[in-house]
Amino acid sequence: LSKVGSSYVFGSTGPSSFDCSGLMYWAYSQAGISLPRSSGAQYSGAGSRVSISDLKPGDLVFYYSPISHVGMYIGNGQMVHAADYGIGVIVSSISGYDITAMRRVA
């Protein structure tokens, strides 16, 4: 959450700008956990599946088919994610997007 307000830059992993998977990569690295770099690789190579009713803060929420966006669940139906150009890192609802899958990494 300390990165809310940071700018969106495709391919960036921080510390002052991020793309969606770069933010997850950076956040988990701060906790000593290594994630693959892209949202698709994070989906296929990290953690275990969870259902929407079992989401806990820190779980990854993946969007679209093929997977092309990821955010981190923070509780109360909200996630932090690097949204897009001109928007940057924000907190928003997990609904309103085409959720593909959810995974628990830690």
Side-chain angles (χ1 to χ4, degrees), residues 62-82:
F62 296 92
Y63 295 90
Y64 311 118
S65 182
I67 290 170
S68 59
H69 190 67
V70 61
M72 182 184 294
Y73 188 68
I74 59 171
N76 298 317
Q78 302 286 302
M79 68 173 169
V80 62
H81 62 126

Side-chain angles (χ1 to χ4, degrees), residues 14-105:
S16 60
S17 63
F18 301 90
D19 67 9
C20 64
S21 56
L23 179 61
M24 303 305 110
Y25 179 88
W26 180 87
Y28 270 94
S29 73
Q30 301 308 294
I33 298 170
S34 178
L35 281 183
R37 175 57 190 90
S38 71
S39 56
Q42 288 171 1
Y43 165 73
S44 62
S48 58
R49 286 181 176 253
V50 294
S51 67
I52 197 162
S53 62
D54 290 331
L55 278 175
K56 294 182 180 177
D59 290 346
L60 300 181
V61 182
F62 296 92
Y63 295 90
Y64 311 118
S65 182
I67 290 170
S68 59
H69 190 67
V70 61
M72 182 184 294
Y73 188 68
I74 59 171
N76 298 317
Q78 302 286 302
M79 68 173 169
V80 62
H81 62 126
D84 207 345
Y85 296 101
I87 300 172
V89 178
I90 61 170
V91 171
S92 65
S93 172
I94 64 168
S95 63
Y97 297 86
D98 183 15
I99 297 174
T100 303
M102 294 133 300
R103 297 189 75 78
R104 181 160 300 141
V105 176

